Amino acid sequence: MMENEIDRELLEKIADLVGKPVGAFNIRKDSGCDGRQSTEHIEITSRTDGKSGIDIRVKDGTVGETCHIPVIITKSGVEEMVYNDFYIGEDCDVNIVAGCGIHNCGAETSRHDGVHTFHVGKHSKVKYTEKHYGEGDGKGGRVMNPETVVYLEEGASIQMETVQIRGIDSTKRNTKIVCGKDAEAIVTERLLTHGDQVAESDMEIVLDGENAKGRVISRSVAQDRSSQVFYPRMVGNAQCFGHVQCDSIIMGEAKIKSIPAITANCTEAQLVHEAAIGKIAGDQLLKLETLGLTEEEAEDCILKGFLA
């Protein structure tokens, strides 16, 4: 596990891991298991239905535990499809740390497609973090296509943070969350593209139960000739509240398309959406430059603050 410097650097970038994880974990490397550990309250097992992936079961009442399930690819030409299912019991409060890092120094495309399905029990809280990162000086592509499906029972909540740091040539993200009565979903999406990279995000939050709440905050930066498409949707089927916010900075010859949508199927649904795309303001750059920063340093400072 974490045999070399590349492994260690990837795991630190995508999962903040330094050394052996504490608690439950499953580290996947180049389509194989590179380390696994269950705890008294969190059990991780291989799937038994013939699909590649794992099942994670969290016992009722589990509080304060973290489960790490990062994926790293360090060989050129590795392509995989992985299915991970999470079964969160009732009255839990847990952190799930995922993420995928690809180091490709070869000529073939390396690709990770993953489907994460969450079943979150009554009154449970889940914080889910997923970071994506690519590196390597090879001509082979670095491709990631994550799909996340979440079912929240009564009073349950998920706080989901997805981050694309840099280095991913192509990504298509599909997210669907279904909220039951008094359930809440908060999704924060941060994305950076550069070069000729392309990124698509298709997201649907369905507020099925009475007093369900949903919030989507999407922030992105598109540089060079990269392109991005965002399609976040909020659907209200009961008395509920939903808010979708998309903010993007566009630079160089990049292209961004943002298409937020709200659908109310109940007179008591309250739904709001907003979207903004623009360049870095000149007065912001000027102010930082007067403090001694170069134009490049000022630009980098603004982008880091925007995506923080």
Side-chain angles (χ1 to χ4, degrees):
M1 187 174 67
M2 291 184 276
E3 298 174 353
N4 54 54
E5 190 64 25
I6 291 176
D7 293 0
R8 289 190 287 270
E9 288 182 357
L10 286 177
L11 289 170
E12 184 174 358
K13 284 183 179 294
I14 65 172
D16 298 319
L17 283 179
V18 178
K20 183 180 178 180
V22 176
F25 69 86
N26 185 90
I27 297 176
R28 183 181 180 89
K29 177 183 176 182
D30 297 327
S31 297
C33 180
D34 196 49
R36 178 183 297 172
Q37 177 174 283
S38 296
T39 65
E40 179 183 354
H41 302 109
I42 301 178
E43 181 185 28
I44 303 175
T45 58
S46 299
R47 297 182 69 100
T48 59
D49 59 0
K51 295 181 179 179
S52 180
I54 55 177
D55 290 332
I56 301 95
R57 290 179 168 82
V58 180
K59 294 183 179 180
D60 292 349
T62 300
V63 174
E65 293 200 29
T66 297
C67 179
H68 289 86
I69 55 163
V71 173
I72 59 175
I73 294 177
T74 62
K75 297 179 180 178
S76 186
V78 173
E79 297 192 11
E80 61 181 7
M81 183 72 190
V82 180
Y83 298 85
N84 296 334
D85 286 1
F86 302 79
Y87 301 92
I88 313 296
E90 297 182 1
D91 301 307
C92 296
D93 190 344
V94 295
N95 294 333
I96 308 294
V97 181
C100 181
I102 295 178
H103 179 91
N104 189 353
C105 288
E108 298 179 87
T109 293
S110 294
R111 173 173 172 169
H112 174 77
D113 292 356
V115 180
H116 287 181
T117 304
F118 288 82
H119 304 270
V120 184
K122 292 181 179 180
H123 309 294
S124 284
K125 298 179 181 180
V126 175
K127 182 179 180 181
Y128 175 61
T129 306
E130 184 177 88
K131 296 180 181 180
H132 289 167
Y133 170 73
E135 63 179 22
D137 55 8
K139 295 182 178 180
R142 297 173 293 271
V143 179
M144 296 184 191
N145 296 313
E147 180 176 345
T148 306
V149 182
V150 181
Y151 300 99
L152 298 175
E153 294 188 21
E154 181 179 346
S157 66
I158 188 166
Q159 183 178 338
M160 179 174 168
E161 181 181 6
T162 62
V163 182
Q164 181 166 304
I165 304 170
R166 65 168 43 248
I168 305 303
D169 297 308
S170 175
T171 186
K172 186 170 183 180
R173 175 182 298 278
N174 291 308
T175 304
K176 182 174 182 179
I177 303 177
V178 181
C179 298
K181 181 181 179 182
D182 296 319
E184 181 177 29
I186 300 175
V187 181
T188 302
E189 180 178 57
R190 291 181 285 158
L191 178 69
L192 172 67
T193 56
H194 54 92
D196 295 303
Q197 296 172 353
V198 295
E200 295 182 33
S201 178
D202 190 296
M203 186 184 305
E204 183 179 42
I205 312 296
V206 181
L207 305 176
D208 260 350
E210 184 179 357
N211 296 322
K213 297 178 181 178
R215 186 180 182 189
V216 175
I217 303 169
S218 177
R219 290 190 172 184
S220 73
V221 175
Q223 299 175 320
D224 306 320
R225 299 162 305 281
S226 64
S227 63
Q228 302 176 359
V229 179
F230 297 94
Y231 189 19
R233 304 180 301 284
M234 190 77 65
V235 181
N237 294 328
Q239 176 181 315
C240 61
F241 177 80
H243 182 214
V244 178
Q245 177 183 341
C246 300
D247 294 312
S248 299
I249 291 178
I250 188 169
M251 305 172 67
E253 301 174 37
K255 297 179 181 179
I256 300 176
K257 182 183 292 185
S258 186
I259 318 166
I262 51 178
T263 300
N265 297 317
C266 173
T267 57
E268 299 301 317
Q270 300 181 55
L271 307 175
V272 181
H273 77 71
E274 51 187 311
I277 302 173
K279 63 180 182 179
I280 297 176
D283 59 340
Q284 291 178 305
L285 288 173
L286 181 60
K287 183 175 181 180
L288 290 174
E289 287 172 19
T290 59
L291 297 175
L293 275 67
T294 65
E295 182 178 353
E296 184 176 305
E297 289 171 337
E299 194 174 85
D300 186 59
C301 182
I302 291 170
L303 296 182
K304 286 181 178 178
F306 179 74
L307 292 173

